[in-house]
Amino acid sequence: MKTFCEMKTLAKSQIKGRIGILLVMHLIAFASIYIPCLCISCLIPLVGDLVSNIVAGVFALGLTIVYLKLAKSEDISIGDVFAGFDDLWTAIKAQFFMGLFTFLWFLLLIIPGIIKAFSYSMTFFILAENKGMPVLKAITLSRKMMDGHKLDFLLLSLSFFGWFLLVLLTFGLAAIWVCPYSYATYSNFYLSVKEDYMAKSSD
């Protein structure tokens, strides 16, 4: 398992020279998710939120594919942000079931809900690497992979607190750097967790 420092150092090298294209991708995803939501919500309340949630799943898969490519030293292009549409139904189901399961755990207590959210956090990464895998199988695999790593995920997320605070203080301007940096770091975290899981499975 790589250290957080190693993951972040890799992330910085992976996004170096690519901030421009990554910014465009994030803007496309942001606009595609929230503009339809605002427009539809003005006409039909709640439906806009539903549409936004569906589209969010598609672009979540697309961006995951983009950052996994970077983590594997592969070339990326603007079109990659739309890669989630190649497996549209899978992306929609993943977003739905992850949200549903997490919500049900939150109905019990907040802490179990947060823990389960961490457990399911690798789902889109798994689907990005295993096209055609059933969503529930990917969620289950994510839960198994994160066994023993949920605290790691929490600590890694907390390590970005200062950066996310900077985003607020700069009225979102710092997100130009912080979003790619954090996304790339989480991709490296996934690859490290996957490697650890596969090593343990082969024992």
Side-chain angles (χ1 to χ4, degrees), residues 196 198-203:
D196 185 60
M198 292 177 66
K200 289 179 179 177
S201 298
S202 62
D203 289 343

Side-chain angles (χ1 to χ4, degrees), residues 31-195:
S32 299
I33 293 168
Y34 292 105
I35 291 178
C37 174
L38 292 174
C39 295
I40 296 173
S41 292
C42 292
L43 301 173
I44 312 173
L46 298 180
V47 174
D49 291 334
L50 177 61
V51 172
S52 176
N53 197 47
I54 290 173
V55 177
V58 177
F59 280 99
L61 181 57
L63 286 171
T64 299
I65 290 171
V66 167
Y67 283 96
L68 275 178
K69 279 190 170 185
L70 286 180
K72 297 176 181 179
S73 301
E74 298 176 9
D75 292 331
I76 59 171
S77 64
I78 293 293
D80 289 332
V81 75
F82 299 105
F85 287 94
D86 294 336
D87 211 354
L88 180 64
W89 186 232
T90 294
I92 293 173
K93 287 192 295 183
Q95 186 78 357
F96 171 77
F97 281 115
M98 287 172 63
L100 175 63
F101 294 157
T102 303
F103 172 72
L104 292 176
W105 279 100
F106 266 112
L107 288 179
L108 296 177
L109 284 172
I110 294 177
I111 298 301
I114 294 174
I115 292 173
K116 285 301 176 180
F118 290 166
S119 294
Y120 307 146
S121 61
M122 299 296 104
T123 300
F124 277 110
F125 289 102
I126 294 169
L127 291 172
E129 283 200 310
N130 301 275
K131 188 173 182 178
M133 176 181 285
V135 169
L136 294 181
K137 182 177 180 180
I139 291 175
T140 299
L141 181 54
S142 174
R143 179 175 54 78
K144 291 179 179 179
M145 287 175 62
M146 288 298 287
D147 186 27
H149 293 294
K150 290 184 282 293
L151 180 59
D152 294 329
F153 188 85
L154 172 61
L155 295 176
L156 179 61
S157 298
L158 289 176
S159 74
F160 283 105
F161 178 79
W163 286 106
F164 294 141
L165 182 60
L166 182 62
V167 171
L168 293 176
L169 293 176
T170 58
F171 300 98
L173 186 61
I176 294 173
W177 163 261
V178 177
C179 282
Y181 179 36
S182 58
Y183 267 76
T185 302
Y186 285 125
S187 294
N188 289 314
F189 176 82
Y190 162 72
L191 292 176
S192 187
V193 168
K194 184 184 75 168
E195 182 180 351

